[in-house]
Amino acid sequence: TMFAGQPLDPSFPIVHSVSNVIAAVVFGHRFTIENKNFHQVIENNDYIVKFGSSVSEMLYDIFPWLMNHLPGPHQKVFYCHEFLRSFARNEIRNHRENGPPDELQDFIDFYLAQIDKSKDDPTSTFDEDNMVQAIFDLFLAGTETTTTTLRWTVLDMVAHPDVQEKVQKELDAVLGPSQLICYEDRKKLPYTNAVIHEIQRYNSVVAVGVPRECIRGTVLQGFPIEKGTIIIPNLTSALLDPEQWETPRQFNPNHFLDKDGNFVNKDAFLPFSAGHRMCLGELLARTELFLFFSNLMRAFTFKLPEGVKEINTEAITWITLQPHPYKICAVPR
Ligand code: HEM
């Protein structure tokens, strides 16, 4: 309400909310918007992600010895890692001091219980260092991706006011004005659900998946693949495949609707990749996207600021495909 109707860049409120979801899952509590320490968690996490696709990173990978002696962003990135690790260690310490709760609630509770259970097993990998690394991975994998998708979501609604209006009409018709929305409700909201899928397809936020190594030789669509081959899946090639989508390069929620307006999923919808190592957070991410989107659409209409005629919808290529920074107005409905 502080910004009601005024031009704003929604990036910070979005990344703050999304990071708080991971915090709730991992630490069992959230941080207020004023908490400076949590701001630093967000900033350091962001720095690591941006560093991950920079020229300095490439130079560091090729000449680590040389780069260690030179100043530059690679020096700061070590500090960022250490900050996030010590933040996690601090939360673990608090959990240990409070002792195990009657009912295990968050990731740290479960991990501590697992360390305890496997303490007589010499082959166990459950220890505090691995827990810190796992927490770090959850923050890194879970915030940037979801945040970027939501930043595109707002931009796409500004660029397609007709779609935005249809979503709002559907929400108004199906849900009560103060009804708590839950993930299950997507089944009653085929258009809204189709729009979220189209946002993920069209913007292809994770353009290429994580490199994976083949553990044995195989043949894929007639191509022999040797053991040890590194595979980098090109997810965009599926999400924009002209043989799979009617209008691959156009924003078109009908990609996920049949002629009667029912939601239909598509095999080529692979924003979370596929196979054994596909996104571990898919369900959490889908739940977040649905709940954030439907609640935002019910409360606000997103518009261009007065006098602004156009908005840049080109992507910047980092580890993820990012929108350019923008300002919009969130007009309360
Ligand atoms: C819109 C949001 C998201 C997108 C588009 C996305 C996409 C992806 C993709 C493409 C991969 C690589 C899969 C592969 O190599 O085959 C991945 C891996 C992963 N994601 Fe997500 N992700 C999202 C949200 C999340 C969230 C919220 C979490 C945290 C709970 C998360 C945790 C992970 C983890 C831990 C991995 C590594 C899995 C492994 O190595 O087995 N992701 N994600």
Side-chain angles (χ1 to χ4, degrees):
T1 49
M2 198 161 69
F3 295 106
Q6 294 304 308
L8 87 149
D9 179 342
S11 302
F12 188 73
I14 291 175
V15 72
H16 189 269
S17 313
V18 169
S19 305
N20 250 334
V21 172
I22 303 285
V25 171
V26 174
F27 304 142
H29 64 96
R30 290 160 188 273
F31 298 84
T32 63
I33 196 114
E34 294 87 22
N35 189 312
K36 288 281 178 294
N37 241 346
F38 196 52
H39 284 206
Q40 275 188 286
V41 169
I42 293 171
E43 279 162 27
N44 287 317
N45 197 46
D46 202 50
Y47 193 88
I48 293 170
V49 173
K50 284 180 191 153
F51 177 77
S53 45
S54 65
V55 174
S56 332
E57 193 214 21
M58 288 180 215
L59 288 174
Y60 188 85
D61 282 347
I62 305 169
F63 311 110
W65 177 83
L66 176 68
M67 294 294 280
N68 266 332
H69 294 276
L70 298 175
H74 58 289
Q75 301 289 358
K76 189 177 162 190
V77 88
F78 291 114
Y79 164 81
C80 295
H81 276 256
E82 204 28 63
F83 179 90
L84 294 177
R85 280 172 211 280
S86 67
F87 193 88
R89 280 195 207 98
N90 198 31
E91 290 283 341
I92 296 168
R93 194 174 322 118
N94 291 344
H95 277 67
R96 283 198 201 273
E97 278 167 12
N98 293 336
D102 296 338
E103 220 179 307
L104 304 181
Q105 299 248 337
D106 54 56
F107 182 79
I108 295 179
D109 287 344
F110 280 94
Y111 208 109
L112 286 173
Q114 195 62 43
I115 291 178
D116 199 43
K117 232 193 271 172
S118 50
K119 64 176 182 293
D120 298 325
D121 174 1
T123 64
S124 166
T125 59
F126 291 101
D127 61 29
E128 184 156 329
D129 281 347
N130 276 338
M131 169 161 44
V132 168
Q133 182 60 42
I135 292 172
F136 185 91
D137 288 347
L138 288 171
F139 267 93
L140 215 64
T143 47
E144 155 68 20
T145 45
T146 315
T147 298
T148 304
T149 308
L150 286 168
R151 288 173 60 219
W152 280 118
T153 301
V154 172
L155 197 63
D156 287 338
M157 290 305 98
V158 172
H160 304 279
D162 52 324
V163 173
Q164 172 165 235
E165 202 184 319
K166 260 181 107 165
V167 169
Q168 290 171 330
K169 282 213 172 105
E170 185 181 62
L171 292 169
D172 293 349
V174 173
L175 303 170
S178 54
Q179 181 186 331
L180 203 64
I181 307 177
C182 55
Y183 187 49
E184 204 49 25
D185 291 329
R186 75 192 184 285
K187 294 176 184 161
K188 294 184 281 182
L189 298 159
Y191 189 77
T192 305
N193 197 18
V195 171
I196 296 172
H197 281 72
E198 181 64 359
I199 289 165
Q200 284 204 273
R201 184 201 71 80
Y202 178 72
N203 298 299
S204 182
V205 165
V206 185
V208 288
V210 177
R212 304 290 188 191
E213 183 177 341
C214 270
I215 54 166
R216 58 178 142 74
T218 186
V219 177
L220 188 70
Q221 295 189 332
F223 295 99
I225 297 172
E226 276 175 48
K227 177 180 170 183
T229 307
I230 305 282
I231 306 282
I232 305 174
N234 179 350
L235 301 177
T236 306
S237 73
L239 296 175
L240 301 183
D241 186 343
E243 287 178 20
Q244 302 285 335
W245 309 98
E246 215 170 286
T247 59
R249 303 237 166 222
Q250 260 168 40
F251 185 82
N252 174 8
N254 289 331
H255 285 138
F256 296 95
L257 293 167
D258 70 12
K259 60 178 186 346
D260 302 319
N262 300 309
F263 177 80
V264 273
N265 205 358
K266 295 283 170 71
D267 291 344
F269 180 73
L270 295 170
F272 300 101
S273 193
H276 286 297
R277 297 301 293 270
M278 72 181 291
C279 178
L280 167 142
E282 176 180 5
L283 184 60
L284 181 64
R286 282 172 174 271
T287 309
E288 287 186 62
L289 294 180
F290 178 76
L291 293 181
F292 277 109
F293 181 57
S294 50
N295 277 293
L296 284 171
M297 284 291 93
R298 189 164 63 170
F300 301 104
T301 299
F302 294 121
K303 287 190 172 144
L304 284 177
E306 197 89 31
V308 179
K309 292 268 174 296
E310 253 188 311
I311 195 152
N312 191 346
T313 54
E314 295 284 307
I316 309 171
T317 306
W318 278 332
I319 286 186
T320 52
L321 298 183
Q322 297 271 327
H324 286 264
Y326 61 80
K327 283 193 171 174
I328 50 88
C329 299
V331 182
R333 296 181 63 212

